Amino acid sequence: MAKPTRYTPEIIDSYMKSGDWEPRTWSSVWDRNARDYPGKEAIVDSKKRVTWGEAKVQTDRLAMGLLEAGIKRDEVLAIQLPNSVDLCLLRVACEKAGILCLPALRTLRHKEMEHLLKYSEATGIVIPWEYKEFDHLRMVQEIRRSLPLKHIFVAGEKVPAGTISLEEMLKRPLEEKYPPDHLEKTRFQPHEFSWITLTSGTTGLPKFVESMLCAFTATGKAIAQNFAITADDVVAILPAAAAGPNNVGYWAAPEAAAKIVMQERSDTEAALRLIEKERVTIVCV
């Protein structure tokens, strides 16, 4: 697909010179943490615990796996997953592969998903097979006839026939197949349009917003500095999709190499237990 953008070279140059944008990528922040804090926990959920060093390996494998599966640079991968380690790793992997990431709320159903997949021209989607008694695979199969969708990736241990297992992708040592700088050929640059966010009011279908890496990294740096977040902090992202949790959890926490804790389901008592267990210092809701 063509990748139009409203950001002209003049606009980009202006924001860069003013310091409002950072000439860095999010994946470079994660890779820096892998170098400086390889054994430190980076992100955890109820099933997985991943260190910064492991995150480097896994995001590289996912990026290479997505490209090998046939998704091309600048194509769109929709991701409809609950809060999880996989969700975070995929966002970084998409950047490394040069694939436009389109995170979708896990509560969106047939009408909304068909709309966003059609108008984004997404060629791939990542889903759980089932989540909270809802069959995501059946939904995708029912709406895909009119869509350019080619690849269905499924997270979790149980993966149905005709789909691609995310877990199997994580196990394949693709880093042994390619030179160390292989992903430098595809990785998005700081000034590129590299992320599609969705925004919607109480009515109507989701709207698309193009997002720039250099804006996100600047946001993360500013929040980490203003909140005095350090590598000793533990940031919990409770189930939410608002700007606050994204800005603090997804962008500021990695900037400071703080641990990210993902709660998959909305449950107050479980959240309190999680906060106590992981010794959370910052909560995002």
Side-chain angles (χ1 to χ4, degrees), residues 37-225:
Y37 305 94
K40 183 180 181 296
E41 282 192 329
I43 180 167
V44 305
D45 60 25
S46 65
K47 298 176 182 177
K48 294 185 178 181
R49 309 186 76 89
V50 176
T51 65
W52 288 111
E54 292 167 340
K56 159 70 174 170
V57 173
Q58 292 183 24
T59 53
D60 283 356
R61 287 180 179 180
L62 287 173
M64 295 174 190
L66 291 171
L67 292 168
E68 282 208 342
I71 301 182
K72 299 179 177 60
R73 195 183 196 279
D74 289 335
E75 289 188 337
V76 176
L77 178 71
I79 305 173
Q80 192 182 33
L81 293 176
N83 273 4
S84 60
V85 168
D86 289 342
L87 173 59
C88 229
L89 296 179
L90 276 165
R91 289 180 166 191
V92 180
C94 280
E95 182 190 313
K96 290 184 174 184
I99 294 169
L100 287 164
C101 176
L102 173 57
L105 284 171
R106 64 189 184 283
T107 53
L108 297 184
R109 295 297 181 252
H110 292 66
K111 186 175 182 180
E112 295 91 353
M113 290 302 294
E114 184 176 14
H115 166 77
L116 70 89
L117 291 171
K118 178 180 179 180
Y119 287 99
S120 69
E121 300 181 10
T123 57
I125 188 170
V126 185
I127 53 172
W129 185 352
E130 294 182 338
Y131 179 72
K132 297 184 75 171
E133 301 181 352
F134 181 77
D135 192 326
H136 286 264
L137 178 61
R138 175 178 291 182
M139 175 183 66
V140 172
Q141 290 172 332
E142 289 173 350
I143 65 176
R144 72 177 301 185
R145 295 172 189 170
S146 61
L147 301 173
L149 197 64
K150 299 177 183 177
H151 314 281
I152 301 176
F153 302 88
V154 176
E157 297 178 358
K158 295 182 180 180
V159 178
T163 64
I164 302 171
S165 168
L166 209 65
E167 288 299 315
E168 289 302 314
M169 288 175 63
L170 287 167
K171 293 176 183 177
R172 293 178 61 201
L174 288 176
E175 68 276 7
E176 298 175 4
K177 182 178 178 180
Y178 297 98
D181 63 347
H182 178 68
L183 292 174
E184 295 306 317
K185 303 171 186 176
T186 58
R187 188 194 303 252
F188 281 129
Q189 298 304 304
H191 61 275
E192 285 190 86
F193 158 37
S194 54
W195 186 293
I196 303 174
T197 29
L198 297 176
T199 180
S200 184
T202 55
T203 61
L205 294 167
K207 291 86 175 172
F208 300 95
V209 181
E210 63 176 283
S211 302
M212 309 285 281
L213 280 173
C214 43
F216 281 133
T217 51
T219 297
K221 181 178 180 180
I223 292 174
Q225 290 176 344

